[in-house]
Amino acid sequence: MMTIAMDGPAGAGKSTAAKLAAKALGIHYVDTGAMYRAIAYGILTAAPADDAVEACVRDLDVRVDYIEDEQHVYVNGEDVMGVIRTPEVSAAASRYAALPVVREKLLGVQRTIAEQFDVVMDGRDIGTVVLPHAETKIFITADPAERARRRALELEQRTGEKQDVDAIEKEIRERDYRDSHREIAPLKQADDAVLLDTTHMSIEEVVAEVCRLARANHA
Ligand code: DC
């Protein structure tokens, strides 16, 4: 199997690069962040008491499907792709991703997908925990100020509204801290991952490098 694990902090261009690389290589793009967001959305919607969160997670029916090369995540039958990109869900996803019950629920889902398909899977713990034997491991990062600038640009293009770059950088730094300091499966570079600092790279250069590494390792 061709298996590419791509980890790194928010806003480093991971998902854009992974999506384009998957297309160029003719394999599946698997967005694990969307799965954590979907669970967070499910918890926010059910609004359980603090001591009932674990039971709520166990009860959530989370399914992933690929339709015309697009990943869809369903929570209790609802396709949640259109509602999981809000700041509220982003913050909740980062918080709930620290719960063992949430990570356990998704680990099997993610490993099964990688057994079924050739994949570029992006996340925080793919090269370290989910797919420790992945053929290619890439840790994509960029300077936080540059990541905030890119995120602001993307939001401005999507919403047509001017964004506060400093506020976005603060939010990115907070998420980085939480994702990297949690006890379970923290964001970190796997020992055998290639470090790709994209601060001064164009997206085309990043995609070309991901494809080059993947093809070299698969040969
Ligand atoms: O990549 P993203 O921003 O969509 O991810 C949302 C949150 O989910 C992120 O703050 C951390 C968490 N996450 C994780 O803990 N492990 C993953 N493999 C992917 C995402």
Side-chain angles (χ1 to χ4, degrees), residues 7 10 14 31-34 36-37 85 90 93-94 97 103 110 122-126 151 175 179 182 185:
D7 293 302
K14 243 180 326 137
D31 176 0
T32 64
Y36 285 94
R37 287 167 181 272
R85 300 261 149 222
S90 301
S94 174
R103 305 208 74 85
Q110 293 163 1
D122 94 12
R124 302 293 187 287
D125 61 337
I126 310 306
R151 181 53 57 92
R175 273 218 281 155
D179 294 345
R182 63 180 177 223

mmCIF file with all atom_site columns, all heavy atoms in Angstrom, residues 7 10 14 31-34 36-37 85 90 93-94 97 103 110 122-126 151 175 179 182 185, ligand 1:
data_model
loop_
_atom_site.group_PDB
_atom_site.id
_atom_site.type_symbol
_atom_site.label_atom_id
_atom_site.label_alt_id
_atom_site.label_comp_id
_atom_site.label_asym_id
_atom_site.label_entity_id
_atom_site.label_seq_id
_atom_site.pdbx_PDB_ins_code
_atom_site.Cartn_x
_atom_site.Cartn_y
_atom_site.Cartn_z
_atom_site.occupancy
_atom_site.B_iso_or_equiv
_atom_site.pdbx_formal_charge
_atom_site.auth_seq_id
_atom_site.auth_comp_id
_atom_site.auth_asym_id
_atom_site.auth_atom_id
_atom_site.pdbx_PDB_model_num
ATOM   1   N N   . ASP A 1 7   ? 1.691   14.935 9.352  1.00 0.00 ? 7   ASP A N   1
ATOM   2   C CA  . ASP A 1 7   ? 1.312   15.587 10.600 1.00 0.00 ? 7   ASP A CA  1
ATOM   3   C C   . ASP A 1 7   ? 1.853   17.002 10.631 1.00 0.00 ? 7   ASP A C   1
ATOM   4   O O   . ASP A 1 7   ? 2.768   17.350 9.882  1.00 0.00 ? 7   ASP A O   1
ATOM   5   C CB  . ASP A 1 7   ? 1.879   14.790 11.792 1.00 0.00 ? 7   ASP A CB  1
ATOM   6   C CG  . ASP A 1 7   ? 1.214   13.431 11.918 1.00 0.00 ? 7   ASP A CG  1
ATOM   7   O OD1 . ASP A 1 7   ? -0.018  13.404 12.055 1.00 0.00 ? 7   ASP A OD1 1
ATOM   8   O OD2 . ASP A 1 7   ? 1.934   12.415 11.852 1.00 0.00 ? 7   ASP A OD2 1
ATOM   9   N N   . ALA A 1 10  ? -1.896  23.374 13.041 1.00 0.00 ? 10  ALA A N   1
ATOM   10  C CA  . ALA A 1 10  ? -2.955  24.009 12.246 1.00 0.00 ? 10  ALA A CA  1
ATOM   11  C C   . ALA A 1 10  ? -2.390  25.091 11.337 1.00 0.00 ? 10  ALA A C   1
ATOM   12  O O   . ALA A 1 10  ? -1.500  25.844 11.739 1.00 0.00 ? 10  ALA A O   1
ATOM   13  C CB  . ALA A 1 10  ? -3.993  24.628 13.181 1.00 0.00 ? 10  ALA A CB  1
ATOM   14  N N   . LYS A 1 14  ? -1.151  21.810 5.475  1.00 0.00 ? 14  LYS A N   1
ATOM   15  C CA  . LYS A 1 14  ? -1.223  20.342 5.425  1.00 0.00 ? 14  LYS A CA  1
ATOM   16  C C   . LYS A 1 14  ? -2.366  19.839 4.558  1.00 0.00 ? 14  LYS A C   1
ATOM   17  O O   . LYS A 1 14  ? -2.158  19.043 3.661  1.00 0.00 ? 14  LYS A O   1
ATOM   18  C CB  . LYS A 1 14  ? -1.521  19.832 6.842  1.00 0.00 ? 14  LYS A CB  1
ATOM   19  C CG  . LYS A 1 14  ? -0.477  18.986 7.439  1.00 0.00 ? 14  LYS A CG  1
ATOM   20  C CD  . LYS A 1 14  ? -0.861  18.542 8.843  1.00 0.00 ? 14  LYS A CD  1
ATOM   21  C CE  . LYS A 1 14  ? -1.641  19.570 9.578  1.00 0.00 ? 14  LYS A CE  1
ATOM   22  N NZ  . LYS A 1 14  ? -2.768  19.186 10.339 1.00 0.00 ? 14  LYS A NZ  1
ATOM   23  N N   . ASP A 1 31  ? -8.831  13.132 5.892  1.00 0.00 ? 31  ASP A N   1
ATOM   24  C CA  . ASP A 1 31  ? -8.732  14.284 6.797  1.00 0.00 ? 31  ASP A CA  1
ATOM   25  C C   . ASP A 1 31  ? -9.181  13.843 8.192  1.00 0.00 ? 31  ASP A C   1
ATOM   26  O O   . ASP A 1 31  ? -10.380 13.758 8.457  1.00 0.00 ? 31  ASP A O   1
ATOM   27  C CB  . ASP A 1 31  ? -9.642  15.388 6.240  1.00 0.00 ? 31  ASP A CB  1
ATOM   28  C CG  . ASP A 1 31  ? -9.714  16.602 7.134  1.00 0.00 ? 31  ASP A CG  1
ATOM   29  O OD1 . ASP A 1 31  ? -9.061  16.618 8.191  1.00 0.00 ? 31  ASP A OD1 1
ATOM   30  O OD2 . ASP A 1 31  ? -10.439 17.551 6.760  1.00 0.00 ? 31  ASP A OD2 1
ATOM   31  N N   . THR A 1 32  ? -8.216  13.530 9.059  1.00 0.00 ? 32  THR A N   1
ATOM   32  C CA  . THR A 1 32  ? -8.608  13.040 10.392 1.00 0.00 ? 32  THR A CA  1
ATOM   33  C C   . THR A 1 32  ? -9.086  14.187 11.283 1.00 0.00 ? 32  THR A C   1
ATOM   34  O O   . THR A 1 32  ? -9.865  13.973 12.205 1.00 0.00 ? 32  THR A O   1
ATOM   35  C CB  . THR A 1 32  ? -7.465  12.278 11.101 1.00 0.00 ? 32  THR A CB  1
ATOM   36  O OG1 . THR A 1 32  ? -6.374  13.174 11.341 1.00 0.00 ? 32  THR A OG1 1
ATOM   37  C CG2 . THR A 1 32  ? -6.991  11.102 10.277 1.00 0.00 ? 32  THR A CG2 1
ATOM   38  N N   . GLY A 1 33  ? -8.620  15.419 11.000 1.00 0.00 ? 33  GLY A N   1
ATOM   39  C CA  . GLY A 1 33  ? -9.094  16.577 11.771 1.00 0.00 ? 33  GLY A CA  1
ATOM   40  C C   . GLY A 1 33  ? -10.611 16.695 11.665 1.00 0.00 ? 33  GLY A C   1
ATOM   41  O O   . GLY A 1 33  ? -11.296 17.002 12.644 1.00 0.00 ? 33  GLY A O   1
ATOM   42  N N   . ALA A 1 34  ? -11.147 16.403 10.472 1.00 0.00 ? 34  ALA A N   1
ATOM   43  C CA  . ALA A 1 34  ? -12.607 16.481 10.276 1.00 0.00 ? 34  ALA A CA  1
ATOM   44  C C   . ALA A 1 34  ? -13.328 15.481 11.170 1.00 0.00 ? 34  ALA A C   1
ATOM   45  O O   . ALA A 1 34  ? -14.444 15.727 11.623 1.00 0.00 ? 34  ALA A O   1
ATOM   46  C CB  . ALA A 1 34  ? -12.952 16.228 8.811  1.00 0.00 ? 34  ALA A CB  1
ATOM   47  N N   . TYR A 1 36  ? -12.278 14.478 14.212 1.00 0.00 ? 36  TYR A N   1
ATOM   48  C CA  . TYR A 1 36  ? -12.288 15.065 15.569 1.00 0.00 ? 36  TYR A CA  1
ATOM   49  C C   . TYR A 1 36  ? -13.290 16.215 15.642 1.00 0.00 ? 36  TYR A C   1
ATOM   50  O O   . TYR A 1 36  ? -13.979 16.394 16.644 1.00 0.00 ? 36  TYR A O   1
ATOM   51  C CB  . TYR A 1 36  ? -10.881 15.531 15.973 1.00 0.00 ? 36  TYR A CB  1
ATOM   52  C CG  . TYR A 1 36  ? -10.008 14.357 16.319 1.00 0.00 ? 36  TYR A CG  1
ATOM   53  C CD1 . TYR A 1 36  ? -9.180  13.779 15.358 1.00 0.00 ? 36  TYR A CD1 1
ATOM   54  C CD2 . TYR A 1 36  ? -10.061 13.782 17.584 1.00 0.00 ? 36  TYR A CD2 1
ATOM   55  C CE1 . TYR A 1 36  ? -8.419  12.660 15.658 1.00 0.00 ? 36  TYR A CE1 1
ATOM   56  C CE2 . TYR A 1 36  ? -9.304  12.666 17.893 1.00 0.00 ? 36  TYR A CE2 1
ATOM   57  C CZ  . TYR A 1 36  ? -8.476  12.113 16.923 1.00 0.00 ? 36  TYR A CZ  1
ATOM   58  O OH  . TYR A 1 36  ? -7.750  10.998 17.230 1.00 0.00 ? 36  TYR A OH  1
ATOM   59  N N   . ARG A 1 37  ? -13.356 16.993 14.583 1.00 0.00 ? 37  ARG A N   1
ATOM   60  C CA  . ARG A 1 37  ? -14.339 18.089 14.541 1.00 0.00 ? 37  ARG A CA  1
ATOM   61  C C   . ARG A 1 37  ? -15.759 17.537 14.594 1.00 0.00 ? 37  ARG A C   1
ATOM   62  O O   . ARG A 1 37  ? -16.639 18.093 15.239 1.00 0.00 ? 37  ARG A O   1
ATOM   63  C CB  . ARG A 1 37  ? -14.151 18.899 13.250 1.00 0.00 ? 37  ARG A CB  1
ATOM   64  C CG  . ARG A 1 37  ? -12.917 19.765 13.244 1.00 0.00 ? 37  ARG A CG  1
ATOM   65  C CD  . ARG A 1 37  ? -12.599 20.306 11.860 1.00 0.00 ? 37  ARG A CD  1
ATOM   66  N NE  . ARG A 1 37  ? -11.398 21.100 11.899 1.00 0.00 ? 37  ARG A NE  1
ATOM   67  C CZ  . ARG A 1 37  ? -11.369 22.408 12.181 1.00 0.00 ? 37  ARG A CZ  1
ATOM   68  N NH1 . ARG A 1 37  ? -12.496 23.057 12.384 1.00 0.00 ? 37  ARG A NH1 1
ATOM   69  N NH2 . ARG A 1 37  ? -10.229 23.061 12.232 1.00 0.00 ? 37  ARG A NH2 1
ATOM   70  N N   . ARG A 1 85  ? -16.446 23.727 10.554 1.00 0.00 ? 85  ARG A N   1
ATOM   71  C CA  . ARG A 1 85  ? -15.287 24.613 10.366 1.00 0.00 ? 85  ARG A CA  1
ATOM   72  C C   . ARG A 1 85  ? -15.409 25.914 11.161 1.00 0.00 ? 85  ARG A C   1
ATOM   73  O O   . ARG A 1 85  ? -14.645 26.847 10.926 1.00 0.00 ? 85  ARG A O   1
ATOM   74  C CB  . ARG A 1 85  ? -15.107 24.942 8.878  1.00 0.00 ? 85  ARG A CB  1
ATOM   75  C CG  . ARG A 1 85  ? -14.874 23.727 8.021  1.00 0.00 ? 85  ARG A CG  1
ATOM   76  C CD  . ARG A 1 85  ? -13.394 23.512 7.691  1.00 0.00 ? 85  ARG A CD  1
ATOM   77  N NE  . ARG A 1 85  ? -13.103 22.119 7.537  1.00 0.00 ? 85  ARG A NE  1
ATOM   78  C CZ  . ARG A 1 85  ? -12.029 21.490 8.007  1.00 0.00 ? 85  ARG A CZ  1
ATOM   79  N NH1 . ARG A 1 85  ? -11.116 22.146 8.672  1.00 0.00 ? 85  ARG A NH1 1
ATOM   80  N NH2 . ARG A 1 85  ? -11.859 20.206 7.835  1.00 0.00 ? 85  ARG A NH2 1
ATOM   81  N N   . SER A 1 90  ? -13.796 24.291 16.123 1.00 0.00 ? 90  SER A N   1
ATOM   82  C CA  . SER A 1 90  ? -12.326 24.143 16.110 1.00 0.00 ? 90  SER A CA  1
ATOM   83  C C   . SER A 1 90  ? -11.789 24.058 17.534 1.00 0.00 ? 90  SER A C   1
ATOM   84  O O   . SER A 1 90  ? -10.978 23.182 17.863 1.00 0.00 ? 90  SER A O   1
ATOM   85  C CB  . SER A 1 90  ? -11.643 25.339 15.432 1.00 0.00 ? 90  SER A CB  1
ATOM   86  O OG  . SER A 1 90  ? -12.088 25.477 14.110 1.00 0.00 ? 90  SER A OG  1
ATOM   87  N N   . ALA A 1 93  ? -12.931 20.830 19.198 1.00 0.00 ? 93  ALA A N   1
ATOM   88  C CA  . ALA A 1 93  ? -12.223 19.664 18.652 1.00 0.00 ? 93  ALA A CA  1
ATOM   89  C C   . ALA A 1 93  ? -10.863 19.527 19.330 1.00 0.00 ? 93  ALA A C   1
ATOM   90  O O   . ALA A 1 93  ? -10.449 18.436 19.726 1.00 0.00 ? 93  ALA A O   1
ATOM   91  C CB  . ALA A 1 93  ? -12.058 19.811 17.143 1.00 0.00 ? 93  ALA A CB  1
ATOM   92  N N   . SER A 1 94  ? -10.168 20.648 19.492 1.00 0.00 ? 94  SER A N   1
ATOM   93  C CA  . SER A 1 94  ? -8.850  20.621 20.123 1.00 0.00 ? 94  SER A CA  1
ATOM   94  C C   . SER A 1 94  ? -8.979  20.162 21.584 1.00 0.00 ? 94  SER A C   1
ATOM   95  O O   . SER A 1 94  ? -8.161  19.393 22.077 1.00 0.00 ? 94  SER A O   1
ATOM   96  C CB  . SER A 1 94  ? -8.235  22.018 20.009 1.00 0.00 ? 94  SER A CB  1
ATOM   97  O OG  . SER A 1 94  ? -7.033  22.083 20.713 1.00 0.00 ? 94  SER A OG  1
ATOM   98  N N   . ALA A 1 97  ? -10.207 16.366 21.686 1.00 0.00 ? 97  ALA A N   1
ATOM   99  C CA  . ALA A 1 97  ? -9.213  15.445 21.117 1.00 0.00 ? 97  ALA A CA  1
ATOM   100 C C   . ALA A 1 97  ? -8.253  14.940 22.185 1.00 0.00 ? 97  ALA A C   1
ATOM   101 O O   . ALA A 1 97  ? -7.524  13.975 21.963 1.00 0.00 ? 97  ALA A O   1
ATOM   102 C CB  . ALA A 1 97  ? -8.437  16.135 19.989 1.00 0.00 ? 97  ALA A CB  1
ATOM   103 N N   . ARG A 1 103 ? -10.105 9.478  21.170 1.00 0.00 ? 103 ARG A N   1
ATOM   104 C CA  . ARG A 1 103 ? -9.013  8.973  20.328 1.00 0.00 ? 103 ARG A CA  1
ATOM   105 C C   . ARG A 1 103 ? -9.198  7.483  20.032 1.00 0.00 ? 103 ARG A C   1
ATOM   106 O O   . ARG A 1 103 ? -8.966  7.030  18.920 1.00 0.00 ? 103 ARG A O   1
ATOM   107 C CB  . ARG A 1 103 ? -7.651  9.254  20.981 1.00 0.00 ? 103 ARG A CB  1
ATOM   108 C CG  . ARG A 1 103 ? -7.439  10.735 21.317 1.00 0.00 ? 103 ARG A CG  1
ATOM   109 C CD  . ARG A 1 103 ? -5.985  11.128 21.300 1.00 0.00 ? 103 ARG A CD  1
ATOM   110 N NE  . ARG A 1 103 ? -5.466  11.221 19.947 1.00 0.00 ? 103 ARG A NE  1
ATOM   111 C CZ  . ARG A 1 103 ? -5.560  12.292 19.177 1.00 0.00 ? 103 ARG A CZ  1
ATOM   112 N NH1 . ARG A 1 103 ? -6.141  13.387 19.613 1.00 0.00 ? 103 ARG A NH1 1
ATOM   113 N NH2 . ARG A 1 103 ? -5.063  12.290 17.967 1.00 0.00 ? 103 ARG A NH2 1
ATOM   114 N N   . GLN A 1 110 ? -9.552  5.020  11.496 1.00 0.00 ? 110 GLN A N   1
ATOM   115 C CA  . GLN A 1 110 ? -8.452  5.516  10.654 1.00 0.00 ? 110 GLN A CA  1
ATOM   116 C C   . GLN A 1 110 ? -7.579  4.366  10.148 1.00 0.00 ? 110 GLN A C   1
ATOM   117 O O   . GLN A 1 110 ? -7.190  4.328  8.976  1.00 0.00 ? 110 GLN A O   1
ATOM   118 C CB  . GLN A 1 110 ? -7.627  6.547  11.446 1.00 0.00 ? 110 GLN A CB  1
ATOM   119 C CG  . GLN A 1 110 ? -8.436  7.816  11.726 1.00 0.00 ? 110 GLN A CG  1
ATOM   120 C CD  . GLN A 1 110 ? -7.858  8.693  12.821 1.00 0.00 ? 110 GLN A CD  1
ATOM   121 O OE1 . GLN A 1 110 ? -6.827  8.400  13.410 1.00 0.00 ? 110 GLN A OE1 1
ATOM   122 N NE2 . GLN A 1 110 ? -8.540  9.795  13.100 1.00 0.00 ? 110 GLN A NE2 1
ATOM   123 N N   . ASP A 1 122 ? -3.894  13.044 6.873  1.00 0.00 ? 122 ASP A N   1
ATOM   124 C CA  . ASP A 1 122 ? -3.313  14.154 7.631  1.00 0.00 ? 122 ASP A CA  1
ATOM   125 C C   . ASP A 1 122 ? -3.943  14.293 9.002  1.00 0.00 ? 122 ASP A C   1
ATOM   126 O O   . ASP A 1 122 ? -5.097  13.941 9.201  1.00 0.00 ? 122 ASP A O   1
ATOM   127 C CB  . ASP A 1 122 ? -3.281  15.436 6.792  1.00 0.00 ? 122 ASP A CB  1
ATOM   128 C CG  . ASP A 1 122 ? -4.470  16.359 6.980  1.00 0.00 ? 122 ASP A CG  1
ATOM   129 O OD1 . ASP A 1 122 ? -5.239  16.167 7.910  1.00 0.00 ? 122 ASP A OD1 1
ATOM   130 O OD2 . ASP A 1 122 ? -4.591  17.305 6.184  1.00 0.00 ? 122 ASP A OD2 1
ATOM   131 N N   . GLY A 1 123 ? -3.098  14.709 9.965  1.00 0.00 ? 123 GLY A N   1
ATOM   132 C CA  . GLY A 1 123 ? -3.580  14.832 11.341 1.00 0.00 ? 123 GLY A CA  1
ATOM   133 C C   . GLY A 1 123 ? -2.505  15.356 12.265 1.00 0.00 ? 123 GLY A C   1
ATOM   134 O O   . GLY A 1 123 ? -1.718  16.227 11.880 1.00 0.00 ? 123 GLY A O   1
ATOM   135 N N   . ARG A 1 124 ? -2.493  14.833 13.500 1.00 0.00 ? 124 ARG A N   1
ATOM   136 C CA  . ARG A 1 124 ? -1.492  15.262 14.482 1.00 0.00 ? 124 ARG A CA  1
ATOM   137 C C   . ARG A 1 124 ? -0.630  14.097 14.960 1.00 0.00 ? 124 ARG A C   1
ATOM   138 O O   . ARG A 1 124 ? 0.482   14.297 15.426 1.00 0.00 ? 124 ARG A O   1
ATOM   139 C CB  . ARG A 1 124 ? -2.172  15.881 15.715 1.00 0.00 ? 124 ARG A CB  1
ATOM   140 C CG  . ARG A 1 124 ? -3.063  17.073 15.429 1.00 0.00 ? 124 ARG A CG  1
ATOM   141 C CD  . ARG A 1 124 ? -2.262  18.251 14.939 1.00 0.00 ? 124 ARG A CD  1
ATOM   142 N NE  . ARG A 1 124 ? -3.089  19.452 14.821 1.00 0.00 ? 124 ARG A NE  1
ATOM   143 C CZ  . ARG A 1 124 ? -3.999  19.674 13.889 1.00 0.00 ? 124 ARG A CZ  1
ATOM   144 N NH1 . ARG A 1 124 ? -4.184  18.778 12.942 1.00 0.00 ? 124 ARG A NH1 1
ATOM   145 N NH2 . ARG A 1 124 ? -4.696  20.785 13.860 1.00 0.00 ? 124 ARG A NH2 1
ATOM   146 N N   . ASP A 1 125 ? -1.198  12.881 14.871 1.00 0.00 ? 125 ASP A N   1
ATOM   147 C CA  . ASP A 1 125 ? -0.547  11.696 15.457 1.00 0.00 ? 125 ASP A CA  1
ATOM   148 C C   . ASP A 1 125 ? -0.510  10.546 14.465 1.00 0.00 ? 125 ASP A C   1
ATOM   149 O O   . ASP A 1 125 ? -0.469  9.390  14.858 1.00 0.00 ? 125 ASP A O   1
ATOM   150 C CB  . ASP A 1 125 ? -1.327  11.255 16.704 1.00 0.00 ? 125 ASP A CB  1
ATOM   151 C CG  . ASP A 1 125 ? -2.770  10.866 16.359 1.00 0.00 ? 125 ASP A CG  1
ATOM   152 O OD1 . ASP A 1 125 ? -3.276  11.331 15.316 1.00 0.00 ? 125 ASP A OD1 1
ATOM   153 O OD2 . ASP A 1 125 ? -3.366  10.068 17.105 1.00 0.00 ? 125 ASP A OD2 1
ATOM   154 N N   . ILE A 1 126 ? -0.561  10.852 13.189 1.00 0.00 ? 126 ILE A N   1
ATOM   155 C CA  . ILE A 1 126 ? -0.668  9.765  12.199 1.00 0.00 ? 126 ILE A CA  1
ATOM   156 C C   . ILE A 1 126 ? 0.667   8.999  12.113 1.00 0.00 ? 126 ILE A C   1
ATOM   157 O O   . ILE A 1 126 ? 0.684   7.775  12.203 1.00 0.00 ? 126 ILE A O   1
ATOM   158 C CB  . ILE A 1 126 ? -1.097  10.302 10.811 1.00 0.00 ? 126 ILE A CB  1
ATOM   159 C CG1 . ILE A 1 126 ? -2.338  11.205 10.939 1.00 0.00 ? 126 ILE A CG1 1
ATOM   160 C CG2 . ILE A 1 126 ? -1.372  9.142  9.850  1.00 0.00 ? 126 ILE A CG2 1
ATOM   161 C CD1 . ILE A 1 126 ? -3.524  10.593 11.649 1.00 0.00 ? 126 ILE A CD1 1
ATOM   162 N N   . ARG A 1 151 ? -4.245  31.517 7.033  1.00 0.00 ? 151 ARG A N   1
ATOM   163 C CA  . ARG A 1 151 ? -5.589  31.194 7.489  1.00 0.00 ? 151 ARG A CA  1
ATOM   164 C C   . ARG A 1 151 ? -6.527  32.383 7.269  1.00 0.00 ? 151 ARG A C   1
ATOM   165 O O   . ARG A 1 151 ? -7.660  32.225 6.810  1.00 0.00 ? 151 ARG A O   1
ATOM   166 C CB  . ARG A 1 151 ? -5.518  30.772 8.972  1.00 0.00 ? 151 ARG A CB  1
ATOM   167 C CG  . ARG A 1 151 ? -6.801  30.375 9.658  1.00 0.00 ? 151 ARG A CG  1
ATOM   168 C CD  . ARG A 1 151 ? -7.615  29.310 8.953  1.00 0.00 ? 151 ARG A CD  1
ATOM   169 N NE  . ARG A 1 151 ? -6.949  28.058 8.693  1.00 0.00 ? 151 ARG A NE  1
ATOM   170 C CZ  . ARG A 1 151 ? -6.951  26.991 9.481  1.00 0.00 ? 151 ARG A CZ  1
ATOM   171 N NH1 . ARG A 1 151 ? -7.580  27.026 10.612 1.00 0.00 ? 151 ARG A NH1 1
ATOM   172 N NH2 . ARG A 1 151 ? -6.345  25.878 9.127  1.00 0.00 ? 151 ARG A NH2 1
ATOM   173 N N   . ARG A 1 175 ? -3.999  26.661 20.172 1.00 0.00 ? 175 ARG A N   1
ATOM   174 C CA  . ARG A 1 175 ? -4.283  25.285 19.726 1.00 0.00 ? 175 ARG A CA  1
ATOM   175 C C   . ARG A 1 175 ? -2.993  24.472 19.639 1.00 0.00 ? 175 ARG A C   1
ATOM   176 O O   . ARG A 1 175 ? -2.943  23.314 20.034 1.00 0.00 ? 175 ARG A O   1
ATOM   177 C CB  . ARG A 1 175 ? -4.988  25.308 18.366 1.00 0.00 ? 175 ARG A CB  1
ATOM   178 C CG  . ARG A 1 175 ? -6.478  25.437 18.500 1.00 0.00 ? 175 ARG A CG  1
ATOM   179 C CD  . ARG A 1 175 ? -7.197  24.598 17.484 1.00 0.00 ? 175 ARG A CD  1
ATOM   180 N NE  . ARG A 1 175 ? -7.231  25.208 16.173 1.00 0.00 ? 175 ARG A NE  1
ATOM   181 C CZ  . ARG A 1 175 ? -7.348  24.519 15.051 1.00 0.00 ? 175 ARG A CZ  1
ATOM   182 N NH1 . ARG A 1 175 ? -7.407  23.212 15.065 1.00 0.00 ? 175 ARG A NH1 1
ATOM   183 N NH2 . ARG A 1 175 ? -7.392  25.150 13.898 1.00 0.00 ? 175 ARG A NH2 1
ATOM   184 N N   . ASP A 1 179 ? -2.543  21.068 21.590 1.00 0.00 ? 179 ASP A N   1
ATOM   185 C CA  . ASP A 1 179 ? -2.343  19.833 20.818 1.00 0.00 ? 179 ASP A CA  1
ATOM   186 C C   . ASP A 1 179 ? -0.974  19.191 21.111 1.00 0.00 ? 179 ASP A C   1
ATOM   187 O O   . ASP A 1 179 ? -0.818  17.986 21.033 1.00 0.00 ? 179 ASP A O   1
ATOM   188 C CB  . ASP A 1 179 ? -2.464  20.117 19.305 1.00 0.00 ? 179 ASP A CB  1
ATOM   189 C CG  . ASP A 1 179 ? -3.880  20.535 18.900 1.00 0.00 ? 179 ASP A CG  1
ATOM   190 O OD1 . ASP A 1 179 ? -4.819  20.336 19.700 1.00 0.00 ? 179 ASP A OD1 1
ATOM   191 O OD2 . ASP A 1 179 ? -4.037  21.087 17.787 1.00 0.00 ? 179 ASP A OD2 1
ATOM   192 N N   . ARG A 1 182 ? -0.847  17.771 25.306 1.00 0.00 ? 182 ARG A N   1
ATOM   193 C CA  . ARG A 1 182 ? -1.782  16.829 25.937 1.00 0.00 ? 182 ARG A CA  1
ATOM   194 C C   . ARG A 1 182 ? -1.043  15.522 26.234 1.00 0.00 ? 182 ARG A C   1
ATOM   195 O O   . ARG A 1 182 ? -0.030  15.206 25.594 1.00 0.00 ? 182 ARG A O   1
ATOM   196 C CB  . ARG A 1 182 ? -2.992  16.604 25.031 1.00 0.00 ? 182 ARG A CB  1
ATOM   197 C CG  . ARG A 1 182 ? -2.637  15.966 23.730 1.00 0.00 ? 182 ARG A CG  1
ATOM   198 C CD  . ARG A 1 182 ? -3.851  15.765 22.848 1.00 0.00 ? 182 ARG A CD  1
ATOM   199 N NE  . ARG A 1 182 ? -3.430  15.221 21.579 1.00 0.00 ? 182 ARG A NE  1
ATOM   200 C CZ  . ARG A 1 182 ? -3.882  15.604 20.394 1.00 0.00 ? 182 ARG A CZ  1
ATOM   201 N NH1 . ARG A 1 182 ? -4.806  16.550 20.305 1.00 0.00 ? 182 ARG A NH1 1
ATOM   202 N NH2 . ARG A 1 182 ? -3.443  15.032 19.297 1.00 0.00 ? 182 ARG A NH2 1
ATOM   203 N N   . ALA A 1 185 ? -1.241  11.006 22.749 1.00 0.00 ? 185 ALA A N   1
ATOM   204 C CA  . ALA A 1 185 ? -0.973  11.268 21.330 1.00 0.00 ? 185 ALA A CA  1
ATOM   205 C C   . ALA A 1 185 ? -0.731  12.752 21.020 1.00 0.00 ? 185 ALA A C   1
ATOM   206 O O   . ALA A 1 185 ? -1.393  13.318 20.154 1.00 0.00 ? 185 ALA A O   1
ATOM   207 C CB  . ALA A 1 185 ? -2.123  10.730 20.479 1.00 0.00 ? 185 ALA A CB  1
HETATM 208 O O1  . DC  B 2 .   ? -6.599  19.654 11.459 1.00 0.00 ? 1   DC  B O1  1
HETATM 209 P P1  . DC  B 2 .   ? -7.798  20.271 12.124 1.00 0.00 ? 1   DC  B P1  1
HETATM 210 O O2  . DC  B 2 .   ? -7.583  21.710 12.494 1.00 0.00 ? 1   DC  B O2  1
HETATM 211 O O3  . DC  B 2 .   ? -9.072  20.088 11.340 1.00 0.00 ? 1   DC  B O3  1
HETATM 212 O O4  . DC  B 2 .   ? -7.985  19.452 13.503 1.00 0.00 ? 1   DC  B O4  1
HETATM 213 C C1  . DC  B 2 .   ? -8.944  19.820 14.457 1.00 0.00 ? 1   DC  B C1  1
HETATM 214 C C2  . DC  B 2 .   ? -8.458  19.426 15.864 1.00 0.00 ? 1   DC  B C2  1
HETATM 215 O O5  . DC  B 2 .   ? -8.459  18.015 15.990 1.00 0.00 ? 1   DC  B O5  1
HETATM 216 C C3  . DC  B 2 .   ? -7.032  19.881 16.202 1.00 0.00 ? 1   DC  B C3  1
HETATM 217 O O6  . DC  B 2 .   ? -7.018  20.997 17.074 1.00 0.00 ? 1   DC  B O6  1
HETATM 218 C C4  . DC  B 2 .   ? -6.406  18.725 16.900 1.00 0.00 ? 1   DC  B C4  1
HETATM 219 C C5  . DC  B 2 .   ? -7.312  17.552 16.681 1.00 0.00 ? 1   DC  B C5  1
HETATM 220 N N1  . DC  B 2 .   ? -6.683  16.474 15.918 1.00 0.00 ? 1   DC  B N1  1
HETATM 221 C C6  . DC  B 2 .   ? -5.990  15.522 16.621 1.00 0.00 ? 1   DC  B C6  1
HETATM 222 O O7  . DC  B 2 .   ? -5.857  15.626 17.845 1.00 0.00 ? 1   DC  B O7  1
HETATM 223 N N2  . DC  B 2 .   ? -5.463  14.454 15.968 1.00 0.00 ? 1   DC  B N2  1
HETATM 224 C C7  . DC  B 2 .   ? -5.570  14.334 14.638 1.00 0.00 ? 1   DC  B C7  1
HETATM 225 N N3  . DC  B 2 .   ? -5.052  13.263 14.030 1.00 0.00 ? 1   DC  B N3  1
HETATM 226 C C8  . DC  B 2 .   ? -6.246  15.335 13.892 1.00 0.00 ? 1   DC  B C8  1
HETATM 227 C C9  . DC  B 2 .   ? -6.786  16.397 14.564 1.00 0.00 ? 1   DC  B C9  1
#
